[in-house]
Amino acid sequence: MVRKFIRLSILMSVILLTFSAAVMAASGGDEDKTSFIMHHIKDSHEWHFATMGHTHVTLALPVIIYSADRGVEFYSSSSFVDPETHHFGVEHNGYYIDEHDKLQAVDESRSFTDLSITKNVAMLFLILAVTLYLMLSTSRYYKKHPNKAPRGVASFVEPIVIFVRDEIARPNIGPKYKKFTPYLLTLFFFIWIGNLLGLLPGAANLTGNIAVTITLAMITFLITNFNGNKDYWKHVVATPGVPLPLLLIIVPVEIIGLFTKPFALTVRLFVAITAGHIVILSFIGLIFVFESYAVGVASTLMVVFINVIELLVATIQAYVFTLFSAMYIGSAVAEHGHEH
């Protein structure tokens, strides 16, 4: 397994280096050689893969706008791109996409809602498609072969399902683990597959987007608190065995603690994934900044090494997010014994 991880990482590093070299070699100035990092990790209304000379390999994404007077409008993001500079900024039917990749109305007083399928949203659909394929393929296999050992996709999915059930859900939630295991499995597979696909050249940085991580954290927050029993809420609003004067301090701390948990989940995943992307792209950028063979060899070795680590981090972060979610849920549904 370790050898497979290393081989996969080396292959991904070579592809990433080749891809990045093609992109940055076509760049005209030093600003392009460094700003491509932020371009890679941020969301966009188009999916840019590579630049080969004057040819830009991009996927135009749907721009969907809702306004009270016009209703729902559909455009292609290519309608907002200048064909000469290949940058956004072209006005189209009263709208334009600014330098920060935000959809704006020419008339600043105009109110509208941007419902566009951006790069991150497209990546979300891709992750969901891969996850559904794995789950549905496994389900079909067990329906056809209920008494046989798993093979193919099922042999890949079953150990992970058992691990999440027996090593995360059961020990941290307790007797009620079956109720929450489907959510924990969904959480693990979504984050894990998103992390792995995000390492591919040209992929979107979905799990490194704080809007995504905060949404996942808020789902855990809602599930935890809506399923909290009397003991859980009693510990929050009136901690047993604590003198009344201390409750004035303990209770606010407990209430704040309800919100620091999802905050920790949000920041941990966001920082780990985004930082990994920035470090890898920074080492690649050094090759073109210094234009030195020595720096090129050293950066290539570092990129291969970091990619190995990133493959592990992709799995560890999915595990940690799922584990802490299970612990928070477990603390809310457990029957506490009070000592006075």
Side-chain angles (χ1 to χ4, degrees):
M1 180 62 70
V2 175
R3 290 181 179 178
K4 290 182 179 180
F5 260 70
I6 294 175
R7 290 173 183 171
L8 178 60
S9 180
I10 293 174
L11 177 62
M12 290 175 62
S13 299
V14 171
I15 296 173
L16 183 60
L17 284 167
T18 304
F19 170 80
S20 300
V23 173
M24 289 189 292
S27 301
D30 291 336
E31 183 180 356
D32 291 328
K33 293 176 182 177
T34 54
S35 63
F36 88 101
I37 295 176
M38 296 306 298
H39 176 74
H40 173 79
I41 64 174
K42 71 177 184 179
D43 200 4
S44 176
H45 280 83
E46 67 177 4
W47 200 327
H48 183 269
F49 296 102
T51 301
M52 306 294 183
H54 296 290
T55 303
H56 291 257
V57 183
T58 60
L59 174 64
L61 298 172
V63 175
I64 306 172
I65 306 169
Y66 173 77
S67 58
D69 55 338
R70 294 187 184 179
V72 180
E73 302 172 81
F74 295 89
Y75 305 105
S76 170
S77 61
S78 60
S79 302
F80 302 90
V81 177
D82 187 329
E84 295 183 0
T85 64
H86 301 283
H87 293 153
F88 286 122
V90 174
E91 178 189 340
H92 181 72
N93 204 18
Y95 301 98
Y96 69 97
I97 298 176
D98 63 18
E99 65 275 11
H100 301 294
D101 219 312
K102 301 295 183 182
L103 184 67
Q104 305 286 355
V106 175
D107 181 2
E108 296 183 358
S109 63
R110 182 176 181 76
S111 177
F112 68 93
T113 302
D114 185 4
L115 303 174
S116 303
I117 298 178
T118 61
K119 183 170 68 172
N120 278 343
V121 176
M123 188 68 176
L124 172 64
F125 291 153
L126 178 60
I127 294 170
L128 291 177
V130 173
T131 305
L132 284 173
Y133 169 75
L134 292 175
M135 299 303 109
L136 293 176
S137 296
T138 303
S139 176
R140 283 195 298 268
Y141 177 85
Y142 283 114
K143 287 181 179 180
K144 294 180 179 179
H145 312 283
N147 299 317
K148 291 186 178 180
R151 298 182 61 184
V153 176
S155 65
F156 168 77
V157 172
E158 183 182 295
I160 301 174
V161 172
I162 293 175
F163 174 80
V164 172
R165 184 195 67 186
D166 294 347
E167 301 298 328
I168 298 179
R170 183 179 289 171
N172 290 288
I173 297 179
K176 300 179 180 179
Y177 75 95
K178 290 184 179 180
K179 178 180 179 181
F180 303 100
T181 298
Y183 169 67
L184 297 177
L185 286 170
T186 303
L187 201 60
F188 181 87
F189 276 102
F190 177 81
I191 296 174
W192 186 47
I193 293 172
N195 290 348
L196 293 178
L197 292 181
L199 292 174
L200 294 174
N205 181 35
L206 182 67
T207 49
N209 186 308
I210 197 167
V212 174
T213 60
I214 197 172
T215 299
L216 296 175
M218 287 308 299
I219 294 174
T220 294
F221 172 79
L222 294 174
I223 290 176
T224 299
N225 290 287
F226 279 129
N227 287 279
N229 56 27
K230 292 182 179 179
D231 287 334
Y232 171 75
W233 287 109
K234 190 174 182 180
H235 271 80
V236 172
V237 299
T239 309
V242 177
L244 182 60
L246 287 180
L247 284 178
L248 300 176
I249 301 175
I250 297 297
V251 171
V253 171
E254 289 287 343
I255 294 174
I256 293 173
L258 296 178
F259 298 95
T260 56
K261 291 175 181 177
F263 176 78
L265 288 176
T266 298
V267 174
R268 184 184 293 108
L269 181 59
F270 163 70
V271 170
I273 301 304
T274 301
H277 286 219
I278 291 176
V279 170
I280 290 175
L281 293 169
S282 296
F283 275 110
I284 295 173
L286 288 176
I287 301 173
F288 300 91
V289 171
F290 289 96
E291 297 181 351
S292 166
Y293 285 107
V295 174
V297 172
S299 294
T300 300
L301 294 175
M302 287 303 299
V303 168
V304 173
F305 173 71
I306 294 172
N307 248 335
V308 174
I309 295 176
E310 281 297 293
L311 287 172
L312 296 174
V313 169
T315 305
I316 291 171
Q317 287 301 318
Y319 167 74
V320 168
F321 199 105
T322 308
L323 174 65
F324 276 87
S325 294
M327 291 174 62
Y328 298 154
I329 294 171
S331 67
V333 301
E335 300 293 336
H336 300 280
H338 307 316
E339 295 181 6
H340 299 280

